[in-house]
Amino acid sequence: QVQLVESGGGLVQAGGSLRLSCTASGSIFAINGMGWYRQAPGKQRELVATITSGGSTNYADSVKGRFTISRDNAKNTVYLQMNSLKPEDTAVYYCNRAVPAWAWSDWGQGTQVTVSS
């Protein structure tokens, strides 16, 4: 089973930036499309950014132009650079496979992002 470990969250003022990291165990990372998800209090988990094994990216409209997803297959790590943060970006952020229906069952602990106004 793949283990996912997210890090890099924190408290930041609106307009600030954070860079999240997610490291996955196992040798299958490189062949998988990966995604960043987030879950705000009282809301369902939503997919905000994806990256294919070949590096093609896609973003939810709410983060397009502000967030950038990238990956380093040699390090089994996927990143999320978040700029121009808004209070509505406040959530716990997780990584997993890019297609929600194919997500690994063991989600990581996530990393908390809090954006103050």
Side-chain angles (χ1 to χ4, degrees), residues 5-58:
V5 179
E6 299 92 351
S7 63
L11 173 63
V12 64
Q13 288 189 329
S17 298
L18 285 172
R19 189 192 193 209
L20 307 184
S21 299
C22 170
T23 300
S25 64
S27 59
I28 61 173
F29 175 84
I31 66 173
N32 280 278
M34 294 295 295
W36 279 98
Y37 300 74
R38 67 186 181 188
Q39 187 166 21
K43 294 188 177 182
Q44 287 193 333
R45 188 176 291 162
E46 64 170 336
L47 180 61
V48 298
T50 63
I51 185 166
T52 67
S53 58
S56 296
T57 59
N58 199 21

Side-chain angles (χ1 to χ4, degrees), residues 10-16 18 85-90 113-117:
L11 173 63
V12 64
Q13 288 189 329
L18 285 172
L85 282 162
K86 303 176 180 180
E88 51 264 44
D89 295 319
T90 295
V113 171
T114 303
V115 184
S116 63
S117 57

Side-chain angles (χ1 to χ4, degrees), residues 48-109:
V48 298
T50 63
I51 185 166
T52 67
S53 58
S56 296
T57 59
N58 199 21
Y59 300 92
D61 288 343
S62 58
V63 307
K64 199 171 294 184
R66 300 188 298 121
F67 290 10
T68 302
I69 188 171
S70 60
R71 66 190 297 161
D72 185 339
N73 289 337
K75 296 182 179 179
N76 276 14
T77 300
V78 61
Y79 304 97
L80 187 68
Q81 177 68 44
M82 306 187 296
N83 299 328
S84 302
L85 282 162
K86 303 176 180 180
E88 51 264 44
D89 295 319
T90 295
V92 179
Y93 284 72
Y94 304 86
C95 72
N96 209 310
R97 280 173 158 171
V99 178
W102 298 346
W104 291 302
S105 57
D106 289 339
W107 291 77
Q109 83 289 350

